[in-house]
Every structure is written in structure tokens, then in C-alpha cells.
Amino acid sequence: MYKALYRKWRPLSFSDMVGQTHVTDTLKKQVVSGRLSHAYLFTGTRGTGKTSCAKILSRAVNCENPQNGDPCNQCPSCRGILDGSILDVIEMDAASNNGVDSIRDLRDELIYSPAVTKKRVYIIDEVHMLSTAAFNALLKTLEEPPSHVLFILATTEVHKVPATILSRCQKFAFKRILPAQLAARLTQVSESEGIPLKQDAAMLIARMADGSMRDALSILDQCAASGETIDMPFALSLLGLAGAEQTSALVSAIGRKDTKSALALFSQLYAAGKDVAATLDELIGLMRDLLLVKTLPAGTVSPLSGLDEPALLDIGALFDPAGLLYDMTQLQQTLSNLPRSQNRRIDAELCLVRLCDDAVSGAPSALSARLAALERSVSAFGSGIQAPTPVLNPGEKSPQPDKRVSPAARAQAESKPSSAPEVPPGQDAEEITQPSPAVFWPELLSLLRQSVSVPEYTHLVLAEAHMDNDALVLYLPEEFSYLFLHGRNIEEKVQKDACKLLQKQVSVRLTRDKDVPANKGGKLDDWLSQNSALSDLITEE
């Protein structure tokens, strides 16, 4: 009868365990020295070797000829435990025996000495599934068991185990097995089993296993059933994955904000039978690599996507960290909603549209993704901004275009007392450019950029400025800005910079779009022309 690879290749000694030397070395020393605890707790994710290690330990403490802490697996005790003929080693599943009656029966058996072996060993798997009453029944026995009894508890959710149980056990945490270690083990198994496995396919399977040796061997077993050579294209096709090349092309389209290309690539993957959830998961993995490459020192990132660091840097040039965080959040939300979706393809396509066009998303988190674009547009203020050409009535004279006041002109104006502006030779006084919102508002934003945080500044960029007597009123979009800025002392920060710019005391008030009156107060340009010290500054060419 065929035996699954993960069962056939279960470790038989501590030395066979992969990636858990911090646990196996300690247990071997305890077996050699005889300083064994009465209770152990093995924790860690699935497939990391908790139950296998418990079985090895049960044989090691009963072995008649231990080999440097390892069981010999040849003596009658070891062979009897391996084939299940010795009943002194009891393995129970707490998921199906989680009631208090099961623990009471176990407690009643403890008084009997082992029939064949040195110690009676109880392996309780998934111990976190025990009920509260069962834990209470186990508590006293676990604290002071008979000398011939050894408890080995295993769990994947240690946070569900009561602290009273944890304090009575020696705890060992099993790590996720590294992809390189998994790939080496897969190569060893494939060579012994005569399975044609390529190295790139072994690394792909190792990444898909996510640190679980059992998952890696199960995937290898699935691939080997075809009898064909297991290479990268075959493994991708069998597992329903897009692969690094197609995933990177899709992420690049998202980075370029090319909605058409992104949807076309996704349609090709969908038509090829790729799983929607697996495709989104690959996108998240690649964006995770891009984020880490942009934030961590060179050579310290362990990619999940299979791409090397130079390739990740090339794709990462299309993104900023805030945009990657927003994109990954959207993908995670879509992925979590797929099990309840009526049409998984449409949900994935809507997600791609949101990633390629942030403007279609009304979520506050989309602001972070748009921050880079806003900063690039604001940087244009440093090189000068011209006001839009106004619409003129018939016979009306075209005014001079407004320009950003240069730093030199501002310094000159601040160094002399406020007075009537000097008229340059050859220019009429009435032709002097009067300040307008096109000058004042960008000028104020430039000052605020240095005194407020980036999220606060991003929200203020969306505000609409008007004057109400001597009060500067900023109307903010109702969806997020008012709620975000309320209570953050934004009025004081804006007032300080506005007074500095206008050289006049003004008050500042934030309000929401729904509070906007019909006339929105006075016109800002009219008020500036009458009251602002900016009217004394002459625009330099």
C-alpha cells in the first residue's frame, strides 16, 4: 500500500529533524544527562515537527541503547513504540477528546506503572482544544505526576493555553523552516525516491510551503504523481500559480497606473486557469518584497516572489512606500472577502482598478497612496506659479498675471517697514499686480509644509479658502478632512503662518462642506487687495 511522503519521511531521530536544532540539541542533552522534566510544551506553526519530536522523545527516554541522546530505533522498546504494540506511550488528540471525562480517565490510569518501558508517556496534540473543565482536571496531575509519567503537550495556538498550564511545563518554540532548508530536504527525498525534481521547482515548492515540512512533502507528492519531470512551468501549472514573470508584469502595470494593461494581464491569467486567490496572494508577496527592499539595507531581504534584489529595485522604482502600503491593504481586504464573494473575478478586477486609479477610491487610506503625486505637484511652487487667465468682459483690460513672490523679494519686503510700493520706471501704479488666492494660497501652503505633518498638509491641500470679515475660513471635504484635523490644533498652526505672510492679525476657522453658506463669506482676492501686506510686494520677473 502506498504511503504518503510526509509519513514515509517522518524523522526517526533528533538528528533527522530539519531547522529545529535549538530544540533538538537541548532535548538530546537532557536525555544524556537524565535531567528530564515531567512535562513539555511544544509550540509552533503546522508542519514544523512538534508531534514528530514528541514521538522521538518518547522513544529516547525509553530506549535501551540510546545513541548520544537519540533513540536507536532497533531495541524492543523502540520497535514496539514505532509499530504501536507497546501501550505505554499514549497519543491522544485533544480536538476530539476535549471533555473533562477524557482527562479524568487519563488521570485514573496514571497510578499504574508502565508494563514494558521505563516511562509512561502521554502525547496530547492540539492541547489548546481542551475545555476549561478539562484543563482544570489536568492541572494538579500535570503539576505533580507520578515519577514514571511524562507529559508532552503540542499546540499551534499557545495563547489559548491557560497560564497555569504553561507555568508547569518546559516550553519549546518550533520555528518555521527556512525555504533553503526545505528545498534541500526536498532534493534529498526526490533523489531517494527517484523523482525528477529541478532545483527551481524545489525552491518554488519550498516558498509555497511557508515553513512547513509536511506541506512541502505533500506538494512534492502531488507533483510526482504525474510521473513527469518537475520543473518550474510544470509546478506553476499544477499549483495554479502565475509565476514571478507574470506577477511582476502585473505589478509593473499597477505601478504605471495602467488600468488597461493590468486588466488584460489578469484576464490572461484567469483564462489560463490561475486561481484568483493565489494570484492576489502572489501580488501581495511581491509587493511585500518591494516594500522591504525599499526600506531595509541591501542584502537583508528574503524574497517571497523568487525575484532577485536588482529586479525588485527596478520594479520598486514605480512605487513609493505609502503607495505600496495602500495597495497591499486593498489586496488583503479583497483576498479576505473572496470566500464570501458571488463573483471572485469581478472582485479582483475591481481591486485592480482601485490600485491603478486612486481617484476612484473614496477611502481615507487612499490619501496615503496619492501623497507622492501631491508632493510632486506642490514642488512646482518652488519654480513659480502663474495664476489662471481670467475670463474678461467686453472692453475690460487684461490684468498682469500673478506670479509667486520670489524669496529675494520677500526678504527685501521684510527688511523695510510696510509702506506704499515703489513704482518701477515705465510702469503705471495701477498696473502693479495685486495679490490673489493664486499667489496667497500656494504661499501659505509652502509655509505650512514646514510646520504641519505630512498627513495634515495633505488634507489642507484639499481645502478651499475664503474670507469672512477678518477670519480665514477653510472649507474641508466632509468625507474625511474635518474629522481628521478636528482637535489637532490646526487652526493655531494655520493662523501663525497666515499672520506671518499677511503681516496682519487674522483668525482661522475650519469647517465642513455641509456647513458652507450660500455666499461662502467674502471674496478672498478682494479682501487681500484691501488688507494684505502682500499688496506691497512687487512681482519680479
Side-chain angles (χ1 to χ4, degrees):
M1 180 178 178
Y2 180 75
K3 199 173 187 179
L5 289 180
Y6 80 87
R7 296 180 58 197
K8 184 177 181 179
W9 286 87
R10 184 187 290 273
L12 298 178
S13 65
F14 291 124
S15 302
D16 290 339
M17 297 283 297
V18 178
Q20 310 296 346
T21 55
H22 64 292
V23 175
T24 56
D25 288 350
T26 302
L27 293 177
K28 288 170 66 176
K29 292 177 181 178
Q30 289 187 357
V31 172
V32 171
S33 62
R35 300 185 62 178
L36 293 166
S37 175
H38 65 278
Y40 292 90
L41 177 64
F42 294 163
T43 70
T45 57
R46 71 183 191 281
T48 52
K50 300 182 297 297
T51 305
S52 297
C53 189
K55 292 181 177 181
I56 295 172
L57 181 59
S58 69
R59 295 196 301 274
V61 298
N62 290 309
C63 183
E64 299 174 7
N65 301 300
Q67 308 293 323
N68 193 26
D70 277 326
C72 68
N73 295 322
Q74 300 298 326
C75 66
S77 294
C78 290
R79 290 200 304 269
I81 296 174
L82 282 172
D83 61 26
S85 60
I86 293 181
L87 302 181
D88 292 330
V89 176
I90 299 95
E91 182 178 358
M92 60 179 293
D93 179 18
S96 55
N97 300 277
N98 57 2
V100 65
D101 293 336
S102 300
I103 301 301
R104 285 173 179 168
D105 294 340
L106 180 150
R107 186 179 60 188
D108 294 339
E109 296 175 0
L110 296 179
I111 59 175
Y112 300 107
S113 299
V116 179
T117 59
K118 303 174 186 177
K119 283 184 175 290
R120 182 184 291 270
V121 182
Y122 288 90
I123 302 174
I124 306 179
D125 203 6
E126 299 299 332
V127 70
H128 65 275
M129 298 293 289
L130 291 179
S131 64
T132 303
F135 272 125
N136 292 335
L138 180 64
L139 187 58
K140 187 62 178 178
T141 301
L142 191 65
E143 182 178 13
E144 297 178 357
S147 59
H148 59 266
V149 173
L150 174 64
F151 282 101
I152 307 176
L153 315 180
T155 179
T156 56
E157 301 183 43
V158 66
H159 59 280
K160 294 183 179 180
V161 180
T164 51
I165 298 293
L166 295 176
S167 63
R168 289 161 171 81
C169 302
Q170 284 192 10
K171 178 183 173 183
F172 290 89
F174 285 66
K175 302 177 182 178
R176 280 187 171 89
I177 306 174
L178 298 178
Q181 296 173 325
L182 288 172
R185 182 68 167 179
L186 291 174
T187 301
Q188 176 190 357
V189 172
S190 63
E191 291 175 352
S192 300
E193 295 289 331
I195 301 173
L197 176 66
K198 300 293 185 180
Q199 186 61 32
D200 55 354
M203 284 302 301
L204 172 64
I205 295 174
R207 291 196 302 270
M208 289 298 299
D210 192 23
S212 170
M213 180 62 72
R214 181 172 60 246
D215 289 0
L217 292 174
S218 296
I219 296 174
L220 177 62
D221 208 353
Q222 178 184 355
C223 295
S226 65
E228 301 180 10
T229 299
I230 305 174
D231 53 10
M232 178 68 78
F234 177 80
L236 290 173
S237 175
L238 187 65
L239 298 176
L241 301 177
E245 182 178 352
Q246 292 177 300
T247 303
S248 60
L250 184 53
V251 171
S252 298
I254 294 173
R256 298 191 307 269
K257 304 300 181 184
D258 188 351
T259 307
K260 182 178 179 181
S261 298
L263 292 177
L265 287 170
F266 179 78
S267 296
Q268 294 175 7
L269 295 175
Y270 187 83
K274 307 302 181 184
D275 182 67
V276 174
T279 301
L280 296 184
D281 191 59
E282 288 183 86
L283 290 178
I284 295 173
L286 178 52
M287 289 186 176
R288 171 260 184 195
D289 292 346
L290 297 178
L291 182 61
L292 294 186
V293 164
K294 294 178 74 69
T295 55
L296 294 181
T300 60
V301 179
S302 298
L304 298 177
S305 58
L307 298 177
D308 56 11
E309 193 163 321
L312 292 173
L313 289 173
D314 290 341
I315 302 174
L318 301 172
F319 296 89
D320 57 84
L324 286 171
L325 286 174
Y326 170 72
D327 292 348
M328 293 174 67
T329 301
Q330 290 294 319
L331 287 169
Q332 291 277 27
Q333 291 176 352
T334 303
L335 192 59
S336 64
N337 293 332
L338 283 184
R340 301 182 299 274
S341 173
Q342 297 295 325
N343 193 316
R344 294 155 62 92
R345 178 180 183 177
I346 292 179
D347 281 358
E349 289 174 339
L350 290 176
C351 177
L352 292 176
V353 171
R354 287 194 295 269
L355 299 185
C356 294
D357 188 358
D358 301 325
V360 302
S361 175
S365 57
L367 286 175
S368 298
R370 297 157 62 184
L371 178 59
L374 288 173
E375 288 185 335
R376 285 193 295 270
S377 63
V378 172
S379 66
F381 295 155
S383 57
I385 292 182
Q386 292 188 352
T389 304
V391 179
L392 302 178
N393 296 322
E396 185 178 354
K397 183 179 179 180
S398 175
Q400 289 286 346
D402 293 323
K403 299 180 180 179
R404 177 182 171 89
V405 180
S406 65
R410 186 191 303 174
Q412 180 180 0
E414 293 178 350
S415 62
K416 65 181 181 179
S418 178
S419 59
E422 298 180 3
V423 180
Q427 184 178 6
D428 295 335
E430 62 182 8
E431 294 181 357
I432 298 178
T433 302
Q434 295 295 337
S436 72
V439 173
F440 167 70
W441 188 233
E443 188 76 16
L444 180 57
L445 287 175
S446 298
L447 293 177
L448 290 172
R449 184 66 181 88
Q450 310 300 323
S451 57
V452 300
S453 66
V454 172
E456 293 170 347
Y457 174 76
T458 306
H459 286 69
L460 289 173
V461 168
L462 305 176
E464 183 179 351
H466 291 270
M467 292 302 304
D468 185 4
N469 295 326
D470 281 343
L472 176 62
V473 184
L474 302 181
Y475 294 99
L476 304 167
E478 165 65 18
E479 297 83 33
F480 48 83
S481 297
Y482 180 79
L483 299 176
F484 177 82
L485 297 177
H486 184 66
R488 299 173 70 96
N489 298 323
I490 298 300
E491 292 90 343
E492 290 79 357
K493 297 177 183 178
V494 177
Q495 182 183 23
K496 179 180 177 181
D497 288 336
C499 294
K500 178 180 178 181
L501 180 62
L502 298 173
Q503 297 184 15
K504 179 180 177 65
Q505 189 66 29
V506 295
S507 60
V508 176
R509 186 170 76 251
L510 300 180
T511 186
R512 297 171 292 186
D513 276 345
K514 73 175 186 177
D515 298 331
V516 176
N519 56 3
K520 289 189 177 181
K523 292 184 178 180
L524 181 57
D525 50 357
D526 294 340
W527 187 92
L528 288 170
S529 63
Q530 299 174 9
N531 298 277
S532 172
L534 285 178
S535 61
D536 296 337
L537 301 181
I538 301 174
T539 303
E540 292 186 353
E541 295 293 338

